[in-house]
Amino acid sequence: MQWETVIGLEIHAQLATRSKIFSGASTAYGAAPNTQACAIDLGMPGVLPVLNEQAVRMAVKFGMAIEAEIAPYSVFARKNYFYPDLPKGYQISQFELPIVGNGHLDILLDGEIKRIGVTRAHLEEDAGKSLHEDFHGLTGVDLNRAGTPLLEIVSEPDMRSAKEAVAYMKKLHALVRYLEICDGNMQEGSFRCDANISVRPAGQQEFGTRTEIKNLNSFRFVEKAIDFEVERQIDLLESGGVVVQETRLYDSTRDETRSMRGKEEANDYRYFPDPDLLPVVIEDALKEEVKAELPELPDVKRERFKSQYGQDQDTASALTSSRELADYFEALVRESGCDARLCSNWVMGELAGALNKDALEITDSPIGHERLAGLLKRIADNTISGKIAKQVFEEMWQGDATADAIIEAKGLRQITDSGAIEKIIDQVIADNPGQVEQYLGGKEKLFGFFVGQVMKATQGKANPAEVNRMLKEKLR
Amino acid sequence: MSLTSEQVNKIAHLARLGIDAGDVDAYARDLSGILDLVAQLDAQQTDQVQPMAHPLDQVQRLRPDVVTEENQRELFQALAPQVEEGLYLVPKVIE
């Protein structure tokens, strides 16, 4: 039978505020345990939560970026459950009236644009962290994270493959970073994902029973967990079994999903409006202010790159996949004054490769746009060839010298003096009479041999176009 | 509305309350009485009424995003039954 996969994602983005959503405790990552958990975060009796203005603005900003309705009136609710990292016995969240309503996000996959619906996005507080090892049979609880603002972004069940799910998640990741509302650091848990997955016979209207995979914190895990879970469900159904609605956990070391707990009990959260918090009213004035702060969004930037720099879809998409990368590229074009194509080739080629190899982000690049511009200028004015430029680039990567300094120190300046090149060519021809005879006799492949000999004799510094032209003349 | 003893036990479990088996019937009766009282509200037409999220007719005030709290871990942890390396220790919650 043909099966169709149906996926919806719930993404938790930690908002990049300085203080917590309902208290004045710091949200900085990496502090000693419980040094950033104040009386409000601990759920001490008699405390009152007070909402962080910045968290509200960030939620509104996100809503505007996905063209969603911003609720003029939204309400916080208590989601009740017991766990040691949730000191109050409830999480303050939003239920019936979330701050962000229906919106959408367009993803690009295999050259096609697909629109994914966003059902809602709501504000809530994060829980603390439980550490289950090394405490002689007890669990250690660190509540520094408790009360960190989260935006939970819930998609429609619009995705039909793990690849689409990853494309959506990446797009959202880029967007929250463009908006500067979330640092997107997945290792630190700032951006994490729960996936709802079901399968149904192709052509069937109603959805199959779904399972939810919790806490996927990398793009690769999302893809692998979904692929595994889809296969598990199909195998189960094809062998006559049924899928049980439940929460599952992805185990990356074994590459499998495991049942976590029955969902029916977990689902009984008994939401009710939190009497400690008043309804949140978003005035038009605030929306106008936030709108004015919106940066150029990824899709708009991609289209601009296509028209302004004559880029194809793939190049423009790759360069605008993060705001920092796009900024780097544009600064490089400005600084170097070089052709945009030369700039994009170097950014997407040598630079991306070197960053990847050292597992660095563009923001940590040892070669800033000014230094790379210095190198590209020397390619553009024919001081060095593209091949020598790669050598210079490697030198630059290791230290902080400019391209010009390296070219001078190593004597890499291209030989453009045709007299000098001619001399070397004559020498090469004189040294290889056998090959010359064969070449003239019709073995044209040998042309490459002569070019190689000349380049070798000049240590790659001869202008390749010039060498080709002169060799052709000499070997007639 | 009449609650069953099963429902009473489930509610008690969700709230992590220990109740005596002998008291379950009495709880079921009393809670059902409260629900009956509330059920009278269901008889009213409320389609046109916006749900009241809070009895105070005010909106939430927002605070500026500024860190105002200092580390008071020693003070708070003095109340905790068991702490180690700055962590609160609790009975193990997973197998």
Side-chain angles (χ1 to χ4, degrees):
Chain A
M1 191 188 301
Q2 280 286 94
W3 296 92
E4 184 180 49
T5 304
V6 176
I7 303 162
L9 297 183
E10 290 166 21
I11 287 175
H12 289 89
Q14 262 181 17
L15 296 176
T17 56
R18 288 187 201 96
S19 65
K20 293 188 177 173
I21 183 167
F22 298 119
S23 82
S26 169
T27 54
Y29 183 83
N34 293 306
T35 54
Q36 292 176 174
C38 71
I40 293 173
D41 307 326
L42 295 177
M44 290 291 182
V47 299
L48 270 182
V50 186
L51 185 56
N52 184 333
E53 181 190 10
Q54 197 58 30
V56 172
R57 292 179 85 101
M58 287 177 170
V60 171
K61 203 170 184 185
F62 174 77
M64 292 190 150
I66 60 162
E67 295 177 346
E69 307 144 19
I70 308 298
Y73 179 91
S74 73
V75 171
F76 282 97
R78 292 185 178 180
K79 178 178 175 177
N80 300 281
Y81 66 94
F82 286 97
Y83 207 74
D85 59 23
L86 188 75
K88 297 193 294 297
Y90 59 85
Q91 176 192 27
I92 304 177
S93 181
Q94 296 192 298
F95 188 55
E96 278 177 13
L97 296 166
I99 188 159
V100 176
N102 246 311
H104 59 82
L105 202 64
D106 291 340
I107 60 169
L108 182 71
L109 200 66
D110 302 329
E112 303 238 341
I113 287 176
K114 179 170 175 175
R115 178 154 289 189
I116 306 295
V118 174
T119 316
R120 56 183 283 162
H122 64 254
L123 284 167
E124 61 183 26
E125 57 178 345
D126 208 343
K129 265 186 194 157
S130 303
L131 304 154
H132 300 293
E133 284 103 34
D134 299 335
F135 297 102
H136 21 267
L138 296 171
T139 292
V141 181
D142 175 9
L143 296 168
N144 280 349
R145 201 179 63 181
T148 299
L150 295 177
L151 189 65
E152 177 172 337
I153 304 153
V154 183
S155 84
E156 292 286 311
D158 283 350
M159 287 151 276
R160 293 289 172 269
S161 69
K163 287 215 156 41
E164 281 186 16
V166 171
Y168 167 80
M169 190 175 167
K170 282 189 172 162
K171 189 70 185 281
L172 207 55
H173 186 253
L175 182 62
V176 296
R177 291 182 43 155
Y178 262 81
L179 297 172
E180 294 176 323
I181 61 172
C182 171
D183 68 17
N185 190 323
M186 294 168 82
Q187 256 135 33
E188 292 174 7
S190 299
F191 189 84
R192 46 194 204 261
C193 169
D194 302 341
N196 286 297
I197 301 160
S198 64
V199 297
R200 62 181 172 191
Q204 181 179 300
Q205 275 302 306
E206 65 259 43
F207 295 129
T209 305
R210 68 164 195 266
T211 58
E212 181 180 13
I213 306 178
K214 282 269 182 205
N215 265 332
L216 297 162
N217 65 354
S218 85
F219 298 122
R220 206 165 56 90
F221 290 169
V222 167
E223 183 161 357
K224 293 181 86 165
I226 291 174
D227 280 339
F228 175 88
E229 183 59 16
V230 166
E231 203 162 311
R232 189 189 70 87
Q233 292 188 12
I234 292 174
D235 285 350
L236 205 58
L237 293 169
E238 288 191 338
S239 59
V242 288
V243 174
V244 181
Q245 184 171 337
E246 61 179 357
T247 305
R248 297 178 72 85
L249 209 61
Y250 176 67
D251 180 340
S252 57
T253 48
R254 292 196 212 166
D255 189 24
E256 63 177 28
T257 65
R258 276 203 307 275
S259 181
M260 217 164 104
R261 58 175 183 213
K263 184 83 183 173
E264 67 278 271
E265 187 178 304
N267 244 342
D268 212 337
Y269 291 132
R270 295 151 294 140
Y271 284 95
F272 64 89
D274 190 331
D276 286 347
L277 287 154
L278 291 155
V280 179
V281 170
I282 308 288
E283 309 275 3
D284 285 345
L286 178 92
K287 287 203 275 186
E288 290 305 315
E289 267 178 55
V290 172
K291 195 171 185 176
E293 291 167 9
L294 279 180
E296 184 182 33
L297 297 176
D299 289 353
V300 177
K301 203 184 274 287
R302 184 191 65 219
E303 292 309 308
R304 178 168 66 79
F305 274 29
K306 280 159 69 175
S307 60
Q308 185 173 341
Y309 302 117
Q311 290 170 349
D312 58 32
Q313 180 88 305
D314 286 346
T315 308
S317 293
L319 283 173
T320 55
S321 63
S322 87
R323 188 169 165 178
E324 291 81 6
L325 185 64
D327 287 349
Y328 186 102
F329 166 75
E330 293 209 277
L332 180 64
V333 173
R334 262 197 315 276
E335 180 80 25
S336 68
C338 293
D339 179 40
R341 199 186 177 89
L342 180 69
C343 295
S344 65
N345 283 345
W346 273 81
V347 171
M348 300 309 296
E350 293 300 307
L351 182 66
L355 289 171
N356 198 28
K357 203 167 133 233
D358 289 359
L360 292 172
E361 296 292 325
I362 185 74
T363 42
D364 311 317
S365 173
I367 303 181
H369 70 268
E370 299 95 341
R371 273 212 298 158
L372 189 54
L375 177 64
L376 299 197
K377 278 186 204 162
R378 295 300 156 260
I379 301 173
D381 68 10
N382 274 323
T383 304
I384 52 173
S385 68
K387 195 165 170 207
I388 293 289
K390 288 182 187 179
Q391 260 184 54
V392 176
F393 180 86
E394 270 176 40
E395 289 274 332
M396 289 168 74
W397 191 262
Q398 304 304 333
D400 53 14
T402 62
D404 283 338
I406 293 168
I407 293 166
E408 267 337 297
K410 305 237 157 184
L412 296 172
R413 195 173 283 276
Q414 192 159 251
I415 304 167
T416 44
D417 171 3
S418 36
I421 298 175
E422 186 173 8
K423 247 184 175 159
I424 292 161
I425 289 177
D426 288 342
Q427 190 62 47
V428 166
I429 289 174
D431 289 348
N432 299 282
Q435 280 86 346
V436 173
E437 199 175 312
Q438 286 179 42
Y439 176 80
L440 294 174
K443 204 168 173 196
E444 288 186 9
K445 272 199 298 194
L446 274 172
F447 189 73
F449 165 81
F450 295 111
V451 175
Q453 290 299 308
V454 175
M455 294 312 270
K456 197 169 148 194
T458 59
Q459 289 147 334
K461 289 184 289 185
N463 181 322
E466 194 69 1
V467 171
N468 270 287
R469 190 183 61 77
M470 292 173 73
L471 260 172
K472 281 233 168 78
E473 255 171 37
K474 295 261 176 193
L475 288 168
R476 257 206 298 238
Chain B
M1 173 102 196
S2 181
L3 285 176
T4 64
S5 53
E6 249 171 41
Q7 285 170 315
V8 170
N9 282 320
K10 187 179 175 203
I11 295 164
H13 173 67
L14 284 172
R16 298 296 187 275
L17 293 173
I19 52 174
D20 288 335
D23 293 339
V24 171
D25 286 344
Y27 279 127
R29 199 170 51 243
D30 293 350
L31 289 171
S32 297
I34 295 170
L35 289 176
D36 285 341
L37 196 66
V38 177
Q40 291 178 22
L41 294 173
D42 276 347
Q44 300 300 314
Q45 259 318 330
T46 55
D47 298 2
Q48 304 301 315
V49 182
Q50 198 188 8
M52 182 176 72
H54 201 281
L56 291 183
D57 189 20
Q58 289 176 359
V59 300
Q60 179 64 42
R61 286 186 50 180
L62 306 176
R63 44 164 259 279
D65 180 27
V66 177
V67 175
T68 53
E69 295 284 349
E70 287 174 10
N71 174 21
Q72 297 188 76
R73 187 173 80 180
E74 303 315 315
L75 180 68
F76 294 134
Q77 294 203 331
L79 306 171
Q82 218 179 336
V83 294
E84 190 175 314
E85 294 173 27
L87 298 160
Y88 294 92
L89 294 189
V90 298
K92 198 153 193 168
V93 283
I94 57 162
E95 287 91 59

